[in-house]
């Protein structure tokens, strides 16, 4: 579990952090650099990234529904299972990079720490959903909850949780990074955006 080591899977990169950390923007810039270097790149987002996943995203983040915590975790895992089968595995198998805007690590931070579900249960559930394929590198864009929430342009059902929830999530990301230092690259997302992108490129060994 949690290996993500095998062969081509070392090109599966996740971008993580609380709301407003700049994950989407940084992932897009890294994709530009890789593409300019002649690499094939697939960018995906979670939840979503497939037709089934986008329907599940609507259930999860649309304001009208409030699934219980375990249903929420299962729905994130379901969207993830679809994404892995339909997009991530085929891309990795063909030698592409996969840059994922959020990943399984969001479920460990939001559903386990944030919602209070058992961390090992959420790990196991997602290991099954992922078929054992975990991101090889997790770029954690680190930001405090106050700054992140102030930056957030549009809220959603989970993004609109109170600040304490997001503080718990931010602490959980820090804990996950501390426990898994070989996989995590931790970057101060309060820094200048160009600087953040430069640090990620260096960490991935991509020429600037
Ligand atoms: P998204 O629109 O991707 O926003 P952001 O810009 O914050 O990344 O929203 C995804 C929301 O879903 C966000 O509040 C985090 C939450 N989430 C989880 O709670 N668990 C998960 O496994 C994932 C992937 C996301």
């Amino acid at each position: 579990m949690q290996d993500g080591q095998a062969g081509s899977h070392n090109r599966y990169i996740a971008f993580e952090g609380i709301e407003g950390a700049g994950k989407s923007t940084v992932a897009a810039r890294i994709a530009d650099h890789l593409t300019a270097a002649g690499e094939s790149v697939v960018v995906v987002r979670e939840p979503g990234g497939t037709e089934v996943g986008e329907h599940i995203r609507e259930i999860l983040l649309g304001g009208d529904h409030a699934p219980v915590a375990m249903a929420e975790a299962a729905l994130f895992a379901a969207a993830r299972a679809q994404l892995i089968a339909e997009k991530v595995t085929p891309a990795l198998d063909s030698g592409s990079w996969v840059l994922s805007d959020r990943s399984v690590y969001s479920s460990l931070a939001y559903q386990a720490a944030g919602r209070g579900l058992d961390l090992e249960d959420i790990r196991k559930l997602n290991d099954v959903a992922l078929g054992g394929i975990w991101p090889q590198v997790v770029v954690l864009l680190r930001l405090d909850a106050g700054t992140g929430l102030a930056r957030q342009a549009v809220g959603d059902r989970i993004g609109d949780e109170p600040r304490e929830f997001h503080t718990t999530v931010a602490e959980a990301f820090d804990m996950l990074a501390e426990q898994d230092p070989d996989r995590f690259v931790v970057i101060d997302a309060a820094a200048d955006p160009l600087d953040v992108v430069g640090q990620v490129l260096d960490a991935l060994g991509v020429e600037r």
Side-chain angles (χ1 to χ4, degrees):
M1 184 155 90
Q2 275 207 75
D3 263 329
Q5 303 284 359
S8 57
H9 299 149
N10 61 4
R11 295 183 156 200
Y12 183 16
I13 317 293
F15 293 82
E16 290 286 5
I18 61 163
E19 332 285 312
K23 299 172 294 295
S24 315
T25 311
V26 174
R29 292 292 80 75
I30 303 301
D32 291 345
H33 278 269
L34 285 167
T35 307
E39 299 284 343
S40 160
V41 184
V42 174
V43 180
V44 295
R45 72 162 178 180
E46 290 202 19
T50 65
E51 205 173 317
V52 168
E54 293 295 331
H55 284 300
I56 296 174
R57 180 183 175 93
E58 184 49 38
I59 297 173
L60 277 165
L61 302 179
D64 297 346
H65 320 273
V68 296
M70 193 57 217
E72 184 179 279
L75 285 165
F76 277 113
R80 186 163 293 131
Q82 188 72 27
L83 184 68
I84 279 283
E86 209 176 299
K87 293 267 172 74
V88 177
T89 306
L92 293 172
D93 286 349
S94 72
S96 291
W97 292 75
V98 175
L99 306 185
S100 192
D101 182 353
R102 293 197 181 275
S103 75
V104 58
Y105 288 93
S106 281
S107 282
L108 302 186
Y110 284 81
Q111 278 62 57
R115 298 295 193 212
L117 295 173
D118 182 79
L119 179 62
E120 288 316 310
D121 284 351
I122 301 303
R123 264 195 226 276
K124 276 186 232 146
L125 169 69
N126 279 282
D127 192 50
V128 175
L130 290 169
I133 298 170
W134 289 61
Q136 173 80 8
V137 177
V138 182
V139 176
L140 173 57
L141 299 174
R142 197 170 178 280
L143 201 62
D144 70 88
T147 312
L149 292 176
R151 276 188 190 176
Q152 194 187 20
V154 192
D156 57 56
R157 191 181 59 81
I158 297 175
D160 288 344
E161 287 287 345
R163 180 167 163 167
E164 305 78 67
F165 176 88
H166 296 284
T167 301
T168 302
V169 169
E171 288 169 359
F173 276 128
D174 285 347
M175 182 204 71
L176 292 165
E178 273 164 32
Q179 288 175 349
D180 202 355
D182 291 343
R183 189 183 311 264
F184 274 78
V185 175
V186 181
I187 290 175
D188 176 12
D192 177 79
L194 272 179
D195 213 43
V196 172
V197 170
Q199 289 183 54
V200 177
L201 290 171
D202 289 348
L204 297 178
V206 179
E207 278 191 36
R208 300 204 198 180

